[in-house]
Amino acid sequence: MTTYQDDIASIEALKQQYGSSWDAINPESVARMRAQNRFKTGLEIAQYTADIMRRDMAEYDADSSVYTQSLGVWHGFIGQQKLISIKKHLKSTNKRYLYLSGWMVAALRSEFGPLPDQSMHEKTAVPALIEELYTFLRQADARELDLLFTKLDAARAAGDETSVELIQSQIDNYETHVVPIIADIDAGFGNPEATYLLAKKMIEAGACAIQIENQVSDEKQCGHQDGKVTVPHEDFIAKINAVRYAFLELGIDNGVIVARTDSLGAGLTQKLAVTQTPGDLGDQYNSFLDVEEISDAELGNGDVVMKRDGKLLRPKRLASNLYQFRQGTGEARCVLDCITSLQNGADLLWIETEKPHVGQIAGMVDEVRKVFPNAKLVYNNSPSFNWTLNFRQQAFDKLVEEGKDVSAYDRDKLMSVEYDETELATTADEMIRNFQKEGSAKAGIFHHLITLPTYHTAALSTDDLAKGYFADQGMLAYVKGVQRREIREGIATVKHQNMAGSDIGDNHKEYFAGDAALKAGGQNNTMNQF
């Protein structure tokens, strides 16, 4: 590993080659700028983070307690503050990622304005957000290292050699804020060529993991909405291949593909699958269709029929020209989707469910693991679930199974505040707290994410401030609810000029112009009050 001092020495040698014309160049200043700019391209980030994910996947295979987590973010600053907070409180970014949600891109980043999660937003907004996130994460590195360099200069000025040695070690062993991003490509935004082109842009921006779902691109719906339409497996496989080719073309040979199935909630298909022989993949897909047996005489104008086991079967076709699956086939279709995806190049699975229930998820994963023992899930701990109600109902059902008296509870009204202090509510909260641990141990969940938490936190914190500031609290609402907490809890944004890069800029000015530099961080800067 090249140390900080090694870098200074190599730049000093380079300076000597160029002679007096480089007299103004300070090798240590260059070494600092290089340390603050570790990643030069998005592809470097994609490779670095792909290596992290592959290592984490292998460690999870050996020990399911070491699962990974992320929160969905919709802006570079939000992602940056999340990683700064993780490093501050947990001391390491190990096993912590970022999630890029197509839902939030649609709702918050489209030039059309707020949109539903139906792939109507500009697809270029997705790689643009990946690039933005990594720009902010790299800036977090630059800022934190700049603070270390300032401490190093102070220790040298004080003649404190012990501190100098310690700080140089911290610089040499610095842990970056750059972590893997699992990025949502929706249903691929078009045909496989469109998927490939967008995947390339996402990878070039730094994405090491791309999540793609088996819905129809032009009918795509949020996983927690109705009206989802799936595609035959061969169509989905083509898009998985498109993403893999994009990774390979760009040299990210270990890029990660997350194959998502929406079949549990999707009761419709746009196409009948092509089938050549009984029991082939297309025939299996079609076997889930809701059909009725008919005779030649019952054929109507424009009817579509299938032949199976010597019988003529007419799939039920809706006015939308979509075909519907039989009720109750969702879990079996999910299992087939998962196995087929892993057989055709996917690395991780995503099963979109209608509720957070470890038993339900485990039941499907157990079936997949009969074919792929190391099958692993990325799971959406979705804000679309009413977690309180779901888990109070699960706790209620558990008490019933155990023969306990539940007469004090109304199962349909368990969300009510009147139950908050009850034993049932406490049990439910403990189940929620342990959901990720239990899911990873029992249901093969390698990565837990919340798709759009920062959408909700932004709304909640803004509501808290607005209701006081525009009422009788005035400025106290901000001071007490925001700034005082920032100061006392060590939130770095209280020094917002520093967070935005003002001190880094001052140091650069000094590198470039020496004593003639006009700097912003002097004694009259009000940030000195903090």
Side-chain angles (χ1 to χ4, degrees):
M1 180 184 74
T2 302
T3 67
Y4 179 58
Q5 293 299 324
D6 291 337
D7 217 7
I8 293 172
S10 67
I11 299 162
E12 180 64 51
L14 183 65
K15 177 180 176 179
Q16 296 303 318
Q17 293 179 28
Y18 285 88
S20 60
S21 65
W22 278 31
D23 281 351
I25 301 300
N26 183 324
E28 184 162 14
S29 298
V30 178
R32 291 181 176 187
M33 295 174 78
R34 286 186 176 181
Q36 290 171 304
N37 189 27
R38 172 179 173 180
F39 301 99
K40 310 300 187 294
T41 69
L43 286 178
E44 286 184 35
I45 292 172
Q47 186 60 74
Y48 170 77
T49 53
D51 292 342
I52 290 174
M53 277 199 74
R54 292 291 180 174
R55 179 201 68 205
D56 289 347
M57 289 161 67
E59 290 181 5
Y60 175 81
D61 286 341
D63 180 359
S64 63
S65 70
V66 289
Y67 56 86
T68 58
Q69 299 169 288
S70 67
L71 296 175
V73 293
W74 51 272
H75 191 279
F77 177 73
I78 302 298
Q80 178 197 65
Q81 293 307 303
K82 175 190 145 181
L83 266 299
I84 288 174
S85 178
I86 287 170
K87 286 193 72 176
K88 181 179 77 171
H89 293 293
L90 303 171
K91 309 308 178 187
S92 174
T93 63
N94 185 38
K95 305 290 188 297
R96 284 110 189 181
Y97 304 170
L98 288 177
Y99 179 65
L100 185 152
S101 161
W103 193 101
M104 285 206 285
V105 173
L108 298 169
R109 301 301 299 256
S110 173
E111 292 184 11
F112 293 109
L115 294 173
D117 184 20
Q118 296 171 2
S119 290
M120 295 189 290
H121 56 281
E122 309 87 344
K123 62 184 180 181
T124 52
V126 182
L129 179 53
I130 296 169
E131 183 176 8
E132 176 182 293
L133 285 164
Y134 280 127
T135 297
F136 273 80
L137 295 185
R138 290 164 63 224
Q139 194 264 0
D141 283 357
R143 172 190 166 274
E144 196 165 81
L145 283 163
D146 189 69
L147 295 174
L148 285 174
F149 297 146
T150 300
K151 288 183 179 179
L152 180 62
D153 290 340
R156 285 174 176 169
D160 187 348
E161 292 302 319
T162 301
S163 293
V164 167
E165 185 176 343
L166 173 63
I167 296 166
Q168 287 187 166
S169 175
Q170 291 173 331
I171 293 168
D172 289 338
N173 296 288
Y174 180 77
E175 183 184 47
T176 177
H177 292 83
V178 170
V179 297
I181 290 177
I182 298 176
D184 186 359
I185 200 172
D186 280 22
F189 287 90
N191 63 25
E193 174 70 4
T195 301
Y196 152 77
L197 292 171
L198 178 56
K200 277 184 62 177
K201 288 293 185 184
M202 293 168 68
I203 298 161
E204 288 168 341
C208 72
I210 293 177
Q211 166 220 326
I212 186 165
E213 61 208 54
N214 68 335
Q215 290 192 46
V216 177
S217 288
D218 58 355
E219 297 285 357
K220 181 259 190 299
Q221 299 276 14
C222 171
H224 294 280
Q225 292 182 322
D226 203 358
K228 294 184 290 296
V229 185
T230 63
V231 297
H233 296 97
E234 295 296 343
D235 292 26
F236 190 50
I237 291 167
K239 292 191 175 182
I240 291 175
N241 288 338
V243 176
R244 180 63 67 204
Y245 271 101
F247 273 124
L248 293 172
E249 178 183 335
L250 295 171
I252 311 301
D253 299 346
N254 59 348
V256 177
I257 298 175
V258 182
R260 169 176 149 178
T261 172
D262 279 284
S263 290
L264 196 61
L268 304 169
T269 183
Q270 191 179 58
K271 298 178 182 178
L272 303 181
V274 174
T275 173
Q276 305 295 336
T277 58
D280 65 13
L281 191 56
D283 193 40
Q284 292 179 69
Y285 186 79
N286 293 338
S287 72
F288 295 113
L289 291 167
D290 193 356
V291 298
E292 57 183 341
E293 184 179 349
I294 62 171
S295 65
D296 289 346
E298 294 173 295
L299 280 172
N301 185 55
D303 271 354
V304 174
V305 295
M306 302 184 302
K307 185 177 181 181
R308 182 184 300 129
D309 299 329
K311 301 173 182 178
L312 282 181
L313 304 174
R314 179 167 56 196
K316 291 187 179 179
R317 186 163 59 171
L318 308 181
S320 60
N321 203 28
L322 299 171
Y323 301 92
Q324 68 182 34
F325 292 108
R326 295 192 313 279
Q327 290 290 323
T329 62
E331 290 198 5
R333 286 185 282 125
C334 277
V335 170
L336 180 60
D337 294 343
C338 290
I339 292 171
T340 302
S341 295
L342 292 175
Q343 288 172 332
N344 289 276
D347 302 292
L348 295 170
L349 302 169
W350 173 316
I351 299 175
E352 194 70 86
T353 65
E354 82 287 359
K355 61 182 179 294
H357 193 288
V358 171
Q360 178 196 34
I361 304 163
M364 290 182 279
V365 172
D366 287 346
E367 291 300 309
V368 177
R369 285 187 160 180
K370 291 177 181 177
V371 181
F372 288 94
N374 285 338
K376 293 178 282 296
L377 287 187
V378 171
Y379 187 72
N380 178 8
N381 293 237
S382 177
S384 293
F385 303 141
N386 185 331
W387 286 77
T388 301
L389 181 59
N390 266 289
F391 277 89
R392 287 183 181 182
Q393 288 179 338
Q394 289 181 44
F396 179 96
D397 294 342
K398 183 179 179 183
L399 290 175
V400 171
E401 289 175 11
E402 294 171 351
K404 302 288 181 63
D405 179 13
V406 293
S407 59
Y409 305 106
D410 183 337
R411 190 180 187 280
D412 294 328
K413 297 180 180 179
L414 291 176
M415 183 67 191
S416 175
V417 68
E418 68 182 279
Y419 295 123
D420 282 359
E421 304 304 321
T422 63
E423 181 181 356
L424 181 143
T426 301
T427 300
D429 282 354
E430 190 66 9
M431 291 170 68
I432 294 170
R433 188 177 73 84
N434 288 319
F435 175 78
Q436 294 187 341
K437 179 181 177 181
E438 291 290 304
S440 292
K442 298 177 181 178
I445 302 175
F446 158 74
H447 185 78
H448 287 274
L449 60 88
I450 308 178
T451 41
L452 43 140
T454 51
Y455 177 89
H456 294 277
T457 55
L460 183 61
S461 61
T462 301
D463 181 75
D464 285 341
L465 176 59
K467 69 185 177 185
Y469 178 76
F470 292 102
D472 61 346
Q473 292 297 298
M475 197 57 199
L476 182 61
Y478 174 77
V479 172
K480 186 176 180 180
V482 180
Q483 190 181 78
R484 193 176 295 166
R485 288 188 60 196
E486 284 183 308
I487 294 169
R488 291 176 176 174
E489 296 175 29
I491 308 298
T493 51
V494 71
K495 296 185 178 182
H496 49 258
Q497 308 285 15
N498 171 268
M499 182 59 66
S502 180
D503 292 339
I504 295 172
D506 273 359
N507 287 333
H508 287 174
K509 291 174 187 176
E510 190 170 5
Y511 299 165
F512 307 152
D515 292 339
L518 180 63
K519 299 195 288 187
Q523 63 179 4
N524 292 324
N525 188 319
T526 61
M527 287 287 101
N528 295 328
Q529 296 173 22
F530 301 102

